[in-house]
Amino acid sequence: MKVTLAALLADAWALFRRDADLLLRVAGLFFFLPTYALLLLVGPLPLPDPEIADTQARAQAWMNALDTWVGDYGLGSVVAYAVTYFGLALLFCLLLDPVRPTLREAMGRAARLFPRFILAMVVVSIPSGAGMYLLLLPGLWLMSRFMLAGPILFAAGAGTPRIGAIAAIGRSWRATRKAQLSLLGAIVTVYLAALLAGQPFMLFARWLGGEGGGNPLGVAIADACAAGVAMLTQVAGGLIAVAAYRRLSEPSAR
């Protein structure tokens, strides 16, 4: 099947329209709530203080601030991200199993495969995150090359042999080679949409919490809007990954 940006977006939209009610219920619990909790309750990650002239002293102060941040928010952040990744695993189980499992069945299967899924996500996040930090486009390109790892893991076992986390990553790299530009275009589209829609709410919340007079209700509303944008972004990313997998997989795997 031909893979183009328009085709991927159209397939993802068709999947959403078909299962919107179920997808939004899953997304509200597993995507919106953890993100909202992070925005409301977790302080910003500390950065090096540019006012400290000495490089060694600046690095030491930053490490001390990071240690404090991890002690205060580290466990909660890990739990929130784990819940979000479980929601993504559940989405893949619901959409990639040809038997169309119930929500309870899909949650059971997602739980069984979650350890290898989270391992795959951690492995791919290292080069992708480094690419995003150093230069944006290489990170997005790596994300597009690894985006099928999750669908491959959860499609395997639903009519095909099971596969390990590292093997799924390798298979994703090979499968996406013939559609690199289209997949990159899809990732960039989702990323830019999330940035343009969500960043204003986050900046507004920051302003309300500081120069805006410390308005807690306004901050909560703005953070809720930002979390809603993040939720829709995560749903869109998952749907595009499913659509790409279906178009790039062999007929027997679709």
Side-chain angles (χ1 to χ4, degrees):
M1 297 177 70
K2 190 174 182 181
V3 180
T4 64
L5 174 59
L8 290 174
L9 296 178
D11 287 354
W13 176 244
L15 286 170
F16 180 78
R17 290 185 61 187
R18 188 191 70 185
D19 296 315
D21 181 63
L22 177 60
L23 290 173
L24 289 177
R25 282 186 284 149
V26 170
L29 179 60
F30 292 101
F31 295 158
F32 176 81
L33 288 181
T35 304
Y36 192 35
L38 287 175
L39 291 174
L40 278 180
L41 304 176
V42 175
L45 193 68
L47 298 174
D49 188 351
E51 295 184 1
I52 302 178
D54 183 73
T55 303
Q56 185 174 357
R58 182 167 63 247
Q60 185 60 49
W62 182 38
M63 292 303 298
N64 293 338
L66 283 175
D67 286 341
T68 302
W69 186 93
V70 170
D72 292 339
Y73 306 115
L75 180 60
S77 298
V78 169
V79 171
Y81 282 113
V83 171
T84 298
Y85 277 120
F86 184 83
L88 185 58
L90 179 58
L91 185 149
F92 289 146
C93 284
L94 289 168
L95 296 178
L96 290 168
D97 193 331
V99 181
R100 296 289 293 172
T102 65
L103 183 58
R104 182 175 181 178
E105 292 169 341
M107 290 184 69
R109 186 161 186 267
R112 290 192 299 272
L113 294 176
F114 188 67
R116 70 180 70 182
F117 175 65
I118 200 69
L119 173 60
M121 294 301 98
V122 169
V123 170
V124 303
S125 69
I126 294 172
S128 300
M132 291 280 288
Y133 179 78
L134 296 174
L135 195 60
L136 180 62
L137 193 57
L140 294 174
W141 175 74
L142 287 171
M143 289 173 62
S144 71
R145 296 300 304 274
F146 294 134
M147 71 185 299
L148 298 189
I152 287 171
L153 277 172
F154 289 100
T160 58
R162 287 191 177 183
I163 187 173
I166 305 303
I169 294 170
R171 187 176 295 181
S172 174
W173 182 266
R174 295 188 297 272
T176 55
R177 184 180 294 118
K178 56 187 176 183
Q180 295 182 47
L181 292 180
S182 297
L183 296 175
L184 177 59
I187 291 291
V188 169
T189 299
V190 172
Y191 177 84
L192 289 179
L195 185 66
L196 294 175
Q199 194 66 18
F201 293 115
M202 296 184 67
L203 293 175
F204 187 50
R206 190 176 304 170
W207 179 80
L208 287 173
E211 297 178 6
N215 185 335
L217 179 59
V219 170
I221 294 173
D223 281 343
C225 294
V229 171
M231 177 192 76
L232 294 176
T233 300
Q234 289 157 340
V235 171
L239 292 176
I240 288 173
V242 171
Y245 171 79
R246 289 179 171 176
R247 285 185 170 268
L248 291 171
S249 61
E250 297 178 355
S252 60
R254 288 200 294 268

